[in-house]
Amino acid sequence: MSLLSSLGRKGLFLFDPETAHGLSIAALKTGIVPACPAKADPRLAQTVAGLNFPNPLGMAAGYDKNAEVPEALIRLGFGFAEVGTLTPRAQEGNPKPRIFRLVADDAVINRLGFNNAGHAAALERLKRCRRDALIGVNIGANKDSADRIADYVAGIRTFYDVARYFTANISSPNTPGLRDLQAKESLHALLSSVLTARAEEATRSGRQVPVFLKIAPDLTEEGLDDIAEVALAHPLDGLIVSNTTLSRDGLRDTSQAGEAGGLSGKPLFEKSTVVLAKMRRRVGDDLPIIGVGGVSDAQTAAEKIRAGANLVQLYSCMVYAGPTLPGTIVSGLSRLCDREQVSSISALRGSRTAHWADRNI
């Protein structure tokens, strides 16, 4: 860990997790956190769903919920940044406290519940971003929505002209009933409506924006079968695997492990990578997958790619490693290409899918 990251962690850990999060956003806004990107490396560049990513590492949704600092995140070394989850109307989310650090595990439990300022506020911020910035928009439904599918459609229509890609988040464990949208018939209905809206907006704008689907790591084998079948039956552009988990297996920090919510960070790595590989086996080689969960260094990022991911994302591990983490990972991936003597990081993709897919969930 660099001196900057070490000092930053010590300072932020003096505050409760949600206050610390707000302070980190403020620091990025003001430029206190210096840009620290890794050297550009053409071997890391990837074209996925028609988009050209300078490197395969992205900031996952959940950090920049209100699209306040996506460009600042990219300047840290990320190849792309995903904002949200955004809901049509502003909502407070669940009662505080609702974020818990499990320091012994380099993990986080959160039960935020899609707290955000709503579509209109985020749209105004995204309009001010550079058009070439690779910013994805993660969309969801209000907790009290009378028509959740309509909320996702509203996200497509609202952000179509500013998003480089969309993620339909149906896998947060913190909005009651949301994961029910992963069921086969519900998912058919959701994707039909969302992708019809996308087609209409593409006709209007002359530009087709990719749509990804973010799924949970707590699915059964049958649930994975259903999602793969539905995903392949629609013109979906890819999957994001995975969201946080309800599992608490193997945790050392028993003082916080009983808190309700989704677990993320290093303990999620194995479970999310198994689900990633199982989905790669089900959907074949062509459908892009973004791997998320427990990415903490270049080795874990590369292992997601070996398991079948085209791109990877992180968030929680940056809580512990600090703002230099993305640049460090990207530099590490370049060194890995040197060691492996490959002309593209994509040459690793799928080389260990069977190793991971054959494990039990």
Side-chain angles (χ1 to χ4, degrees), residues 150-317:
D151 283 7
Y152 287 91
V153 169
I156 297 290
R157 298 202 186 279
T158 299
F159 296 107
Y160 201 84
D161 292 334
V162 295
R164 297 297 300 279
Y165 71 87
F166 287 102
T167 298
N169 183 2
I170 60 170
S171 49
S172 169
N174 300 318
T175 296
L178 188 77
R179 286 188 171 188
D180 294 346
L181 288 171
Q182 295 177 129
K184 192 172 183 179
E185 294 308 315
S186 297
L187 186 55
H188 265 303
L190 174 74
L191 291 182
S192 294
S193 295
V194 164
L195 295 171
T196 295
R198 191 267 299 271
E200 292 169 355
E201 292 296 323
T203 299
R204 174 191 62 79
S205 66
R207 165 180 168 262
Q208 179 152 302
V209 178
V211 175
F212 292 83
L213 179 73
K214 189 166 186 174
I215 66 172
D218 302 318
L219 293 156
T220 63
E221 296 279 359
E222 293 76 15
L224 294 176
D225 288 340
D226 288 347
I227 287 175
E229 179 184 334
V230 176
L232 292 172
H234 291 270
L236 187 69
D237 296 282
L239 297 169
I240 300 185
V241 184
S242 68
N243 214 313
T244 58
T245 181
L246 294 173
S247 171
R248 300 292 187 266
D249 292 345
L251 293 179
R252 291 179 290 172
D253 191 335
T254 55
S255 65
Q256 304 268 37
E259 294 289 347
L263 174 77
S264 57
K266 286 185 178 181
L268 180 56
F269 177 77
E270 181 171 351
K271 187 178 187 70
S272 61
T273 306
V274 168
V275 175
L276 159 63
K278 288 178 181 293
M279 286 305 294
R280 173 55 74 203
R281 178 175 279 177
R282 284 165 167 80
V283 302
D285 295 334
D286 295 335
L287 189 71
I289 297 178
I290 300 176
V292 198
V295 173
S296 58
D297 52 27
Q299 289 68 40
T300 47
E303 195 62 22
K304 292 282 189 189
I305 294 169
R306 290 188 174 103
N310 301 77
L311 305 167
V312 296
Q313 291 177 322
L314 62 82
Y315 168 18
S316 295
C317 289

Side-chain angles (χ1 to χ4, degrees), residues 2-69:
S2 71
L3 178 61
L4 171 64
S5 296
S6 179
L7 291 173
R9 169 173 164 165
K10 287 179 180 177
L12 289 175
F13 276 32
L14 294 174
F15 299 91
D16 70 86
E18 192 154 354
T19 299
H21 175 263
L23 290 171
S24 71
I25 292 280
L28 286 168
K29 277 184 175 180
T30 58
I32 292 174
V33 180
C36 43
K39 182 180 178 181
D41 185 343
R43 296 173 299 179
L44 302 184
Q46 303 294 305
T47 299
V48 176
L51 299 175
N52 298 318
F53 295 83
N55 69 63
L57 182 68
M59 171 57 98
Y63 176 76
D64 189 7
K65 287 181 173 291
N66 290 305
E68 297 176 272
V69 291

Side-chain angles (χ1 to χ4, degrees), residues 336-348:
L336 186 146
C337 288
D338 292 337
R339 292 194 302 273
E340 298 286 333
Q341 297 183 324
V342 294
S343 59
S344 171
I345 193 74
S346 63
L348 305 178

